[in-house]
Amino acid sequence: MEFETGRSPAIQMTPRQRWSIALSYLLLAIGFALGVNQRDSALNQASIYSNLEAGFTASYPARWLLEESGAYVFRVRDMSHRGFNTVIEVSTAPVGADTSERNILDQLSLQRSQTLTDYTVLGYAPYPLPDDSRAVSMSYSFVARDSSPFQEGLSAVVNGLDILSIRRGQAVIVAFRAEASIYRRELETLRWFIQNLEF
């Protein structure tokens, strides 16, 4: 009586089968690369905002929501992010001949400290603009509470950066805010936005 050892005979693959498997892997890799490329191009599409009266032209991510009804010239928000939506807001304010950047930033801080929870200024620094003009930035943080009644009690730490430039008798303020967990990553979007902002 013969007992089976449990070992199956070695399966011999033909050259044609080997080529078929290799070709299948190659097609999968090409399909994956094309999918990633298409996704990236969709995410990186830009829309153009133009306001001749205010003197602004800007490119912003096409999937972001544009808003013009508020105490700002315009703002765009990434509505695809859960929690606090990353926002870029452009506003202007008239300035006098003796008004300094620091005065404007201090006034912004005073207003925000009355409406934002745990608002804290983290520091000031020069900010280089694409046309080599001078700007000043102010970084800050605060706690945002979710406005949804279904998620009451959830809150997020938000980091912000204001970029202030005084031109032709007015202050132009670009305010950027994002959740602290994704802030550094989202700064790339702000840099791209500033590169394409004309005012």
Side-chain angles (χ1 to χ4, degrees), residues 42-45 47 60-65 77-80 186:
L43 291 177
N44 294 328
Q45 285 182 350
S47 292
Y60 64 93
R63 60 190 169 85
W64 287 30
L65 176 68
R77 291 191 294 159
D78 181 7
M79 302 303 289
S80 65
E186 293 288 275

Side-chain angles (χ1 to χ4, degrees), residues 69-90:
S69 57
Y72 43 77
V73 177
F74 72 99
R75 80 174 176 184
V76 290
R77 291 191 294 159
D78 181 7
M79 302 303 289
S80 65
H81 180 70
R82 287 187 176 181
F84 184 87
N85 303 126
T86 301
V87 63
I88 300 174
E89 185 177 287
V90 178

Side-chain angles (χ1 to χ4, degrees), residues 18 95 99 123 133:
R18 286 191 193 109
V95 294
T99 305
S133 61

Side-chain angles (χ1 to χ4, degrees), residues 141-152:
S141 70
F142 61 93
V143 175
R145 303 211 183 279
D146 201 308
S147 59
S148 169
F150 302 107
Q151 298 180 343
E152 193 173 344

Side-chain angles (χ1 to χ4, degrees), residues 94-106:
V95 294
D98 58 345
T99 305
S100 69
E101 289 99 342
R102 185 60 186 265
N103 289 348
I104 298 167
L105 293 174
D106 286 346

